């Protein structure tokens, strides 16, 4: 079973705080993606990481792919209410034919 | 969402009826994925199709569910004799090629079975 775990499951913070969410697996991925999903909408792709140890920045968001390509983290600096949403990671295995999703981290940023 | 169009956005069906969900991928994309999402949960893979071929249907129930992606027209996810447990959001994603690193999602169809 290709299992992706995400932590924490829920996170509620004040505007301006920093946070990190995690995506972990016992399997190796050829690539990993992060999505944000808002209520009633489809997931929107934020970033794709491919190389072990890779770090990508998207404004206040920093994404890191683990050296062994089994895990990833998303760090948000100075969170804003607009960052509120469900953050999903999805992995693609070398031998896989589809993207496997984690259960998501539900983030709430309070003004 | 990079142009993946799903319709209808909302679908209400009585138990025993059929539900047909449509997905038009991004222009030029020949690979389509269907996922199901229950409230407060992540996305569960159902089926992966290429034009006129089912590549992987390991996540799709063997009974009542079918999917197709014809040479012309949208991909269709069909659920026959719906039951209350089929109520969920169904999302379609498309990609350019096999096992590409990026897939783009539509806004989903929310199926409610009453």
């Amino acid at each position: 079973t290709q299992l992706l775990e995400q932590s924490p499951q829920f996170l509620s913070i004040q505007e301006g705080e920093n946070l990190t969410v995690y995506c972990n697996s016992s399997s190796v991925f050829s690539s990993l993606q992060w999505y944000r999903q808002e209520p009633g909408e489809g997931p929107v792709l934020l970033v794709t990481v491919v190389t072990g140890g890779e770090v990508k920045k998207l404004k206040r968001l920093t994404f890191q792919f683990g050296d062994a390509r089994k895990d990833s983290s998303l760090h948000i600096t100075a969170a804003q209410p607009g960052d509120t949403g469900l953050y999903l990671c999805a992995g693609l295995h070398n031998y896989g034919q589809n993207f496997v999703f984690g259960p998501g981290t539900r983030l709430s940023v309070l003004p | 969402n990079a142009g993946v169009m799903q319709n209808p956005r909302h679908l209400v069906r009585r138990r025993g009826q059929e539900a047909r969900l449509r997905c038009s991928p991004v222009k030029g994309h020949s690979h389509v994925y269907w996922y199901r999402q229950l409230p407060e949960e992540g996305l569960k893979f159902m089926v992966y199709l290429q034009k006129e071929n089912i590549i992987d249907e390991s996540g799709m129930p063997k009974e009542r569910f079918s999917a197709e992606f014809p040479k012309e027209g949208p991909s269709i996810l069909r659920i026959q004799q719906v039951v209350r447990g089929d109520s969920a959001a169904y999302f379609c994603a498309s990609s350019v090629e096999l096992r590409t690193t990026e897939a783009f999602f539509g806004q989903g169809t929310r199926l409610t079975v009453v």
Side-chain angles (χ1 to χ4, degrees), chain A residues 1 14 24 38 42 54 61 64 68 83 97 109 111:
Chain A
T1 301
Q14 293 294 134
N24 298 288
E38 298 187 22
E54 182 177 4
L61 277 61
Q64 184 162 7
D83 296 327
Q97 304 276 21
V109 182

Side-chain angles (χ1 to χ4, degrees), chain A residues 1 21 26 28 31 33 35 41-42 58 63 69-70 80 89:
Chain A
T1 301
V21 298
S26 58
V28 176
S31 68
Q33 304 182 352
Y35 292 84
E41 301 295 329
L58 184 66
F63 304 85
R69 291 187 289 139
K70 291 183 179 182
Q80 299 177 0
C89 66

